[in-house]
Amino acid sequence: MQKHTIVVCDHIHEAGLEMLQNDENVNYVFAADMDKKELIETVIPTADVAITRSSTDVDEFFISHAKNLKAVVRAGVGVDNVDIPGCSKEGIIVMNVPTANTIAAVELTMAHMLSCMRMFPYSHNHLKQDRIWKREKWYGYELKGKKLGVIGFGNIGSRVSKRAKAFEMDIVAYDPYIHPSKVTDLDMTYTKNFDDILDCDIITIHTPKNKETIDIINEAEIAKMKDGVVLINCARGGLYNEDALYNNLKSGKIRFAGIDVFIKEPATDHPLLDLDNVTVSPHLGANTYESQYNIGTQAAQNAIEAAKGIAYPHAMNLPIDETTIPSFVKPFLELGQKIGFLESQMNKSQIVSIKVSGYGEIGKYVDSLSTFVAVGAMSENSSDTINYVNADFIAKEKGIEISSEDCGDSSVYKNLITIKLTTAEGTTTISGTIFDDNVQRLVAIDGFDIEVALRGNMIMFKNTDVPGVIGSVGTVLANNSVNIADFSLARNKEGNALAVILVDNAVNEATLKELADLEACLSVSYASI
């Protein structure tokens, strides 16, 4: 099988590097310590995928040397140093890992909020550094009963809100890009009126940095706020106008502020550091051991999936206008691409047709979904580089019929997609859905109702439903040093059974042949996601 070159341009957690090293289909290049000019001129031209962080700018110079690049994975949330339009022009998919440091950022936000309300860092220094015990100097405020304004109700903002709710705060959320029920279902208040946020006791912001959000809180907005408001920013520098923030902290209009991010960093001589009503931290939003592990492993996994054409998780430049689709749709696009990739491995032959069916609200977006499915299905057995731009063209060129269908409501799941892949050898049909927190699950395979995770090394074993089969399968795998991680089983009315077995290591053809030779076996297939 063709090896894919993945270049690590900046340092990531060792666990991510080990994932790349251990994948037999990856040619892994560690270039984090190279001079950047040398890296771009000598290594990037060979790369299929590049993993970057803030130290490597994906700019015009970088892109001009990326002759074979399919994707860039930004190991973090922000993509300020990535020229996304420039990448799109060259057909390079840009991805980030937006959920890897979610909990770290959430907990830091709560730390700043509590520190501002109780002036904890100042009372700590007063006692520990100055050795003064003066309780009456440090009267603070309780979170209970305070109104918290949350700007941006995504992965971080929503979790901050849930934790604030546990402190018995009243939550008002502003986010024009979500359905109001995402807020109201949590017994919180959703508003389309930004001024409702400005009327809160505490305001925290959790948005990306773009033209809409730079200086979203400035002098005019602060003037509308309550006297003594508390502001928190653990998102991106520049969302609050720093001059306005400084002036109003100095005047007392803003009683306290908790700031983790600045426009220019490192901010060792910033005027805010001179004020005695600010808690500051040096951009620590992702600085936990857990989040660095998550960032490294998720970046590595995303790079591997992109290199193989399995999926482009969290792509920033999708071939659709993301502002026109609800947030729940994007995970289904990734799920559909992975199912297409899975089916092409299960049913290895010339593809004749691909049919995508959607049940529930996702049915309205099956046309867009079909492109993603086609990318996944065709990537496995094509010598062409398949991406979102050329997938439909290549399908027509190869005579592959792609169709989609909105099937109305599902009787079981809120949203469900079913993908039918027909090849010269037969047909495979798989259904999948997304559970809470974007958990991907297969729920049906070729007529068998079975719930299984869509990940790792997967053996699909179909057999006549007779005693002893599971033991025989386990024996074959054990004899070939294949360790079982998970075993899911389903049966049908025709007296057949289907087992989906997740295993820890790759399975060779000899092992699959031994499984196929078992008396009860009707079919066996293998896929790696």
Side-chain angles (χ1 to χ4, degrees):
M1 183 178 288
Q2 176 189 1
K3 281 205 168 190
H4 309 282
T5 298
I6 297 178
V7 176
V8 180
C9 301
D10 298 306
H11 288 278
I12 63 172
H13 195 280
E14 187 66 31
L17 302 180
E18 289 175 1
M19 290 175 62
L20 298 171
Q21 288 173 319
N22 294 335
D23 194 305
E24 61 184 12
N25 298 316
V26 169
N27 174 33
Y28 153 67
V29 179
F30 181 76
D33 296 322
M34 287 185 66
D35 173 76
K36 294 304 178 187
K37 187 172 185 293
E38 181 184 357
L39 161 70
I40 292 170
E41 291 180 340
T42 64
V43 179
I44 291 302
T46 68
D48 293 306
V49 177
I51 297 176
T52 71
R53 299 195 81 168
S54 56
S55 297
T56 302
D57 290 331
V58 182
D59 52 17
E60 183 179 355
F61 181 64
F62 183 104
I63 294 169
S64 68
H65 287 81
K67 303 301 183 184
N68 298 309
L69 204 63
K70 295 179 182 177
V72 172
V73 179
R74 173 65 166 83
V77 178
V79 288
D80 300 355
N81 63 329
V82 179
D83 180 1
I84 295 179
C87 287
S88 298
K89 185 177 179 181
E90 298 302 324
I92 300 169
I93 305 298
V94 178
M95 299 176 285
N96 66 349
V97 285
T99 61
N101 67 340
T102 294
I103 299 303
V106 167
E107 293 182 357
L108 183 67
T109 300
M110 296 306 299
H112 270 289
M113 197 181 304
L114 285 163
S115 293
C116 288
M117 296 298 281
R118 298 299 296 268
M119 296 172 284
F120 177 78
Y122 293 91
S123 62
H124 168 273
N125 292 342
H126 205 223
L127 176 59
K128 189 169 183 179
Q129 294 180 4
D130 301 336
R131 299 302 171 105
I132 298 174
W133 183 283
K134 197 169 184 179
R135 295 176 62 202
E136 63 272 18
K137 181 178 175 66
W138 304 113
Y139 280 95
Y141 296 85
E142 297 173 2
L143 293 181
K144 180 182 177 180
K146 301 300 186 296
K147 188 183 290 187
L148 175 66
V150 180
I151 305 171
F153 205 78
N155 287 317
I156 296 174
S158 62
R159 286 170 172 79
V160 167
S161 298
K162 290 175 184 177
R163 285 154 179 78
K165 187 77 174 175
F167 279 90
E168 300 181 63
M169 301 184 75
D170 296 323
I171 316 299
V172 181
Y174 173 85
D175 192 328
Y177 299 105
I178 65 168
H179 194 280
S181 63
K182 185 177 179 182
V183 177
T184 56
D185 285 352
L186 298 173
D187 194 27
M188 302 172 188
T189 301
Y190 176 81
T191 184
K192 292 183 177 180
N193 183 0
F194 192 68
D195 282 358
D196 290 338
I197 294 293
L198 306 181
D199 190 47
C200 292
D201 303 298
I202 306 171
I203 299 171
T204 182
I205 188 164
H206 304 284
T207 69
K209 184 177 181 179
N210 54 40
K211 291 179 181 179
E212 293 182 28
T213 60
I214 292 174
D215 285 350
I216 193 171
I217 297 295
N218 56 35
E219 193 71 53
E221 276 68 44
I222 294 173
K224 299 177 185 178
M225 295 178 186
K226 294 180 176 180
D227 291 342
V229 67
V230 172
L231 301 184
I232 310 292
N233 184 8
C234 293
R236 310 296 292 177
L239 303 182
Y240 295 168
N241 181 282
E242 291 182 350
D243 290 338
L245 192 63
Y246 175 83
N247 292 334
N248 286 277
L249 278 162
K250 196 169 183 180
S251 72
K253 171 71 176 184
I254 301 172
R255 187 171 57 80
F256 237 99
I259 305 296
D260 181 53
V261 287
F262 299 83
I263 294 174
K264 292 183 180 180
E265 298 177 351
T268 54
D269 59 351
H270 199 285
L272 287 173
L273 305 185
D274 297 328
L275 301 178
D276 59 4
N277 54 346
V278 178
T279 65
V280 292
S281 50
H283 204 149
L284 300 182
N287 275 43
T288 64
Y289 290 106
E290 294 89 346
S291 71
Q292 290 305 305
Y293 172 87
N294 292 337
I295 288 170
T297 54
Q298 288 184 28
Q301 183 62 34
N302 289 0
I304 291 169
E305 292 184 6
K308 295 178 180 179
I310 297 173
Y312 297 92
H314 306 297
M316 307 292 290
N317 51 345
L318 296 178
I320 53 177
D321 183 356
E322 292 186 67
T323 64
T324 66
I325 62 172
S327 58
F328 82 89
V329 174
K330 195 171 180 180
F332 276 95
L333 301 178
E334 181 185 334
L335 174 65
Q337 186 168 335
K338 284 188 176 181
I339 292 176
F341 187 79
L342 171 64
E343 290 188 339
S344 69
Q345 293 181 80
M346 293 174 61
N347 191 355
K348 291 184 178 180
S349 184
Q350 180 183 351
I351 299 174
V352 175
S353 66
I354 301 169
K355 182 176 181 180
V356 181
S357 302
Y359 300 81
E361 283 294 306
I362 194 63
K364 298 176 182 177
Y365 305 93
V366 286
D367 289 341
S368 294
L369 184 60
S370 63
T371 299
F372 287 75
V373 174
V375 170
M378 293 191 296
S379 293
E380 172 68 4
N381 302 309
S382 177
S383 58
D384 299 300
T385 297
I386 310 293
N387 57 38
Y388 303 126
V389 177
N390 65 10
D392 291 337
F393 173 79
I394 291 177
K396 289 178 182 178
E397 195 175 58
K398 293 180 178 292
I400 299 172
E401 180 185 348
I402 300 176
S403 61
S404 58
E405 180 182 18
D406 180 356
C407 299
D409 292 335
S410 166
S411 59
V412 179
Y413 300 98
K414 183 178 180 181
N415 287 289
L416 180 76
I417 59 173
T418 297
I419 296 163
K420 180 179 180 181
L421 180 75
T422 301
T423 73
E425 299 295 328
T427 298
T428 303
T429 304
I430 296 179
S431 298
T433 191
I434 303 288
F435 292 146
D436 289 343
D437 290 327
N438 292 337
V439 174
Q440 300 174 350
R441 285 289 185 272
L442 304 183
V443 295
I445 300 175
D446 288 336
F448 290 90
D449 293 330
I450 186 168
E451 184 181 318
V452 62
L454 182 54
R455 57 177 171 80
N457 302 301
M458 308 172 70
I459 300 171
M460 276 65 63
F461 185 88
K462 184 179 178 183
N463 59 278
T464 53
D465 194 7
V466 295
V469 175
I470 294 176
S472 298
V473 169
T475 298
V476 170
L477 294 178
N479 289 341
N480 287 276
S481 301
V482 178
N483 191 48
I484 296 175
D486 193 18
F487 195 110
S488 300
L489 185 67
R491 308 158 81 181
N492 66 15
K493 296 178 181 178
E494 285 73 40
N496 298 326
L498 175 71
V500 179
I501 310 159
L502 301 183
V503 296
D504 287 337
N505 43 313
V507 181
N508 59 36
E509 290 296 330
T511 303
L512 294 174
K513 187 177 186 307
E514 281 190 54
L515 291 172
D517 288 342
L518 293 175
E519 185 176 351
C521 181
L522 297 173
S523 67
V524 62
S525 57
Y526 170 73
S528 180
I529 300 295

